[in-house]
Amino acid sequence: MRNHEVTERKPLLNYDGSLREPGWSRRLVQIYNRNDIKKRRTRIKEWDYYCVISNKHNIGVCFTVSDLGYLELESVSFLDFNKPFEHTQGNMAPFPMGRLAMPSTSERGDVKVKNGKFAVEFLVDNNKRIIRCDFPSFDGGKGIKVNISLENQPEDTMVIATPWAEDKKAFYYNQKINCMRACGKVEYDGIVYELSPETDFGCLDWGRGVWTYNNYWYWGSGSGQIDGHRFGFNIGYGFGDTSKASENVIFYDGTVHKIDDVVFNISDNYIDPWTFTSSDGRFEMDFVPIIDRSDYTSALNLIVTDQHQVFGRMTGKAVLDDGTVIEVKDLLCFAERVHNKY
């Protein structure tokens, strides 16, 4: 059954390490336990990624903390959509293999990384999420300091449990939480930006799993407000066996509206305009890029990461389950194409 929804609370994995029930859900009803994985520790990947966009100031900040088995990776990004400009800087360390103690659920537990260069914290406190960062050497000493609070109301999210056909012990368990109102402060290069919950929003990409070696994926995400209603979307494909469900959803006032397949139409030049089209006609968008946050790394062509996370403005229509058409105009959001071999 295409777009199979998982509703029963149960362990994520079978005794042999395979996914118990591939599909999508509105919450983390399937229980992730790192000890249930039947692959070597260097293959386990766990990460938390936050992106906060301020429509008030036309800026964005992004934060990643990840344990990729053989590699620990943290990154911080500041984006100014007025100039436009972006700077990304981070830290790498070998073979964490669980040392970061990433929580087994997004609903509780904290993520904290601190060393001689910077400190990053993701905290869950009842009905809010807190992002703190202090990175004095960021961007040649310009520095970035962040204290952001995101609302965390109990509502629909997008969760997907995806297997790989070629490896029964590989899986991808992922949650996207969109449209969290943001408040707090971002200080970059001596300038302080006060965030406003009326205009500024954050999203969380929470992921746990074991991937195969060579993967492409497409992902797009947006959060904002249209005519007084919180509106957002999560779209993507190309990662694992999605025959049971896609991750394509529209968020509207805290409720998920499931849509079918969405295709990203991109030229070889990522800064050219994109289009998005859906098989059910419920997500038809034009996308005008502002910044291509790109990164390419290759180690003897054995470890390769080629990433293009493109921020821009989206215009078009989204159709809810009841047929209501939401007109979208110049929504500040991002979409990406990524190729990883590791």
Side-chain angles (χ1 to χ4, degrees), residues 248-287:
N248 301 317
V249 300
I250 298 165
F251 299 96
Y252 195 72
D253 282 344
T255 298
V256 156
H257 299 256
K258 195 75 182 66
I259 56 177
D260 269 342
D261 295 327
V262 176
V263 175
F264 293 38
N265 300 303
I266 316 167
S267 77
D268 291 335
N269 181 6
Y270 286 86
I271 213 69
D272 287 343
W274 303 19
T275 63
F276 301 85
T277 186
S278 59
S279 58
D280 56 9
R282 293 178 55 191
F283 193 87
E284 304 294 321
M285 297 287 177
D286 296 315
F287 178 64

Side-chain angles (χ1 to χ4, degrees), residues 24 87 91 111 115 119 157 234 237 241 261 296-297 341-342:
W24 78 281
H87 181 74
N91 172 70
V111 175
N115 55 38
T157 69
N234 184 85
Y237 59 98
D241 176 7
D261 295 327
Y296 180 83
T297 302
K341 288 167 60 176
Y342 54 56

Side-chain angles (χ1 to χ4, degrees), residues 156-264:
D156 286 351
T157 69
M158 192 296 301
V159 178
I160 191 165
T162 305
W164 268 265
E166 60 270 36
D167 186 345
K168 287 187 176 181
K169 296 178 182 178
F171 69 94
Y172 171 52
Y173 193 43
N174 180 229
Q175 181 182 39
K176 305 286 177 36
I177 304 177
N178 284 55
C179 303
M180 293 183 285
R181 294 188 184 274
C183 63
K185 295 181 181 180
V186 175
E187 181 178 350
Y188 165 73
D189 193 20
I191 300 174
V192 177
Y193 302 89
E194 295 265 3
L195 303 186
S196 169
E198 285 75 33
T199 57
D200 304 337
F201 294 87
C203 72
L204 167 63
D205 172 18
W206 180 94
R208 306 291 187 264
V210 174
W211 306 347
T212 54
Y213 169 65
N214 187 7
N215 290 284
Y216 288 84
W217 75 72
Y218 298 79
W219 176 38
S221 179
S223 298
Q225 185 163 280
I226 297 177
D227 296 331
H229 299 272
R230 281 186 306 153
F231 169 85
F233 65 86
N234 184 85
I235 53 176
Y237 59 98
F239 203 48
D241 176 7
T242 58
S243 59
K244 293 295 184 182
S246 77
E247 62 177 276
N248 301 317
V249 300
I250 298 165
F251 299 96
Y252 195 72
D253 282 344
T255 298
V256 156
H257 299 256
K258 195 75 182 66
I259 56 177
D260 269 342
D261 295 327
V262 176
V263 175
F264 293 38

Side-chain angles (χ1 to χ4, degrees), residues 143-162:
I144 187 168
K145 194 169 186 177
V146 173
N147 191 342
I148 295 173
S149 178
L150 302 176
E151 71 170 11
N152 186 30
Q153 296 177 347
E155 54 188 15
D156 286 351
T157 69
M158 192 296 301
V159 178
I160 191 165
T162 305

